[in-house]
């Protein structure tokens, strides 16, 4: 009999049963998880409910609300608007946020603190204030109820997320490879494209995903600047709930939850979620 075979029973003997405090702690943690997940669980159950109106508990189960979902043209048009605005917003935020983060972290220049505050301060300003300012600014120019007004507002509230994750990646990255590439004669563009960008890619991807999700789910700015012209999906959902009480909205919510989970899984597969957020 080998030493490894002898060590297993010894570990079992040394393992103590959990005490009352540990059991109570686990129960409290389980109840907290249940409390946090309860709204999502109820929405999922209601989406399969056969009740005529949104109510809980269900009287039976059906797929009727999922079958009706593609027939709701307002949801389809809102989804199209949200995907277009979130996609364009993410691309613009990447094009602006990554160079701005690199400049703020790697270079010293006059007004650096002001530039940093300009890009990061929208996190401290309520969305309704930004929305009201956009209406007062763009309304007289006739630019409200357009893609431009929505995208402009979404850029303001999403760029801080990208810059935070990119700045964190820059702060934790090793610059020795960049210095070695410069010594070997690589240009600044080549160093950024071949060395810096691959190193900070997890933070950039995480910021881009956050920017897309925040833009896709944003309601207040979209409601103020484009309610009657280009209503996004959150605006359409709010309108539908005001006038209807069936469970189609619950089915749509489940689809959006699965969409978010899919994005998280893709980020995890591509770069690793913990690595991306660190």
């Amino acid at each position: 009999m080998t030493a490894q075979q002898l060590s297993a029973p010894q570990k079992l003997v040394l393992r103590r049963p959990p005490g009352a405090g540990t059991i109570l702690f686990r129960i409290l943690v389980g109840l907290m998880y249940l409390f946090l997940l309860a709204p999502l669980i109820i929405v999922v159950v209601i989406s399969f409910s056969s009740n005529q109106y949104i109510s809980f508990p269900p009287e039976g189960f059906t797929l009727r609300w999922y079958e009706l979902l593609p027939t709701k043209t307002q949801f389809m048009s809102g989804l199209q608007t949200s995907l277009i605005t979130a996609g364009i917003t993410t691309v613009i935020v990447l094009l602006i946020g990554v160079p701005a983060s690199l400049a703020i972290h790697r270079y010293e220049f006059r007004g650096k603190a002001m530039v940093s505050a300009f890009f990061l301060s929208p996190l401290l300003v309520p969305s309704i204030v930004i929305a009201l300012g956009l209406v007062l600014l763009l309304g007289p120019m006739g630019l409200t109820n357009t893609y431009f007004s929505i995208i402009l507002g979404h850029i303001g509230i999403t760029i801080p997320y990208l810059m935070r994750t990119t700045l964190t990646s820059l702060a934790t990255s090793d610059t020795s490879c960049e210095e070695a590439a410069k010594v070997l004669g690589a240009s600044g563009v080549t160093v950024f494209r071949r060395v810096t960008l691959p190193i900070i890619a997890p933070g950039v991807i995480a910021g881009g995903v956050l920017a897309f999700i925040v833009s896709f789910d944003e309601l207040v700015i979209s409601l103020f600047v484009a309610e009657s012209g280009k209503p996004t999906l959150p605006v359409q959902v709010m309108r539908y709930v005001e006038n209807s009480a069936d469970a189609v909205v619950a089915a749509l919510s489940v689809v959006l939850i699965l969409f978010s989970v899919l994005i998280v899984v893709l980020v995890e597969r591509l770069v690793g979620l913990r690595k991306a957020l660190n």
Side-chain angles (χ1 to χ4, degrees):
M1 186 175 292
T2 63
Q4 288 78 8
Q5 290 173 325
L6 286 173
S7 61
Q10 291 174 353
K11 290 181 180 177
L12 291 176
V13 172
L14 293 175
R15 182 179 297 175
R16 297 179 180 178
T22 303
I23 295 175
L24 180 61
F25 175 75
R26 290 176 180 175
I27 293 175
L28 288 176
V29 171
L31 290 175
M32 288 179 61
Y33 273 113
L34 183 62
F35 175 77
L36 294 174
L37 294 175
L40 298 180
I41 295 173
I42 291 176
V43 167
V44 172
V45 173
I46 290 177
S47 71
F48 294 101
S49 171
S50 61
N51 298 5
Q52 188 67 28
Y53 304 104
I54 294 180
S55 59
F56 190 84
E59 298 173 356
F61 295 97
T62 180
L63 294 175
R64 175 189 174 193
W65 310 118
Y66 288 93
E67 295 170 354
L68 288 176
L69 196 54
T71 66
K72 301 295 182 182
T73 55
Q74 62 269 51
F75 289 159
M76 297 300 107
S77 64
L79 177 63
Q80 180 181 357
T81 304
S82 289
L83 289 175
I84 291 173
T85 54
I88 296 176
T89 298
T90 303
V91 171
I92 295 176
V93 163
L94 286 169
L95 293 175
I96 297 175
V98 174
S101 301
L102 192 64
I104 291 172
H105 186 268
R106 295 290 171 83
Y107 301 98
E108 295 296 333
F109 54 90
R110 182 177 297 178
K112 176 180 176 180
M114 186 180 299
V115 172
S116 178
F118 173 77
F119 283 112
L120 300 178
S121 60
L123 279 178
L124 305 176
V125 181
S127 296
I128 193 169
V129 175
I130 298 175
L132 184 60
L134 286 173
V135 171
L136 296 176
L137 175 66
L138 301 177
M141 294 187 284
L143 294 176
T144 54
N145 295 316
T146 61
Y147 280 117
F148 175 79
S149 59
I150 307 174
I151 292 170
L152 184 62
H154 287 193
I155 289 173
I157 62 170
T158 56
I159 199 167
Y161 293 97
L162 175 82
M163 292 192 62
R164 285 289 185 190
T165 56
T166 305
L167 286 171
T168 301
S169 293
L170 287 168
T172 57
S173 63
D174 185 4
T175 59
S176 59
C177 294
E178 299 176 31
E179 295 170 357
K182 292 177 182 176
V183 169
L184 293 174
S187 65
V189 176
T190 302
V191 172
F192 174 75
R193 184 170 57 86
R194 302 291 295 272
V195 181
T196 306
L197 189 57
I199 293 175
I200 65 174
V204 173
I205 293 174
V209 170
L210 285 174
F212 182 87
I213 293 176
V214 171
S215 174
F216 188 85
D217 291 337
E218 204 285 328
L219 172 63
V220 177
I221 292 176
S222 304
L223 189 64
F224 269 69
V225 302
E227 181 189 8
S228 59
K230 296 289 182 185
T232 59
L233 185 59
V235 175
Q236 295 285 18
V237 170
M238 188 196 69
R239 286 178 176 176
Y240 190 85
V241 172
E242 288 177 344
N243 302 314
S244 303
D246 56 44
V248 174
V249 173
L252 176 63
S253 301
V254 174
V255 173
L256 294 179
I257 291 171
L258 294 176
F259 177 67
S260 300
V261 172
L262 177 63
I263 291 178
V264 173
V265 171
L266 286 177
V267 173
E268 174 64 25
R269 291 289 184 182
L270 289 174
V271 296
L273 189 60
R274 183 178 299 179
K275 183 180 177 182
L277 293 177
N278 287 337

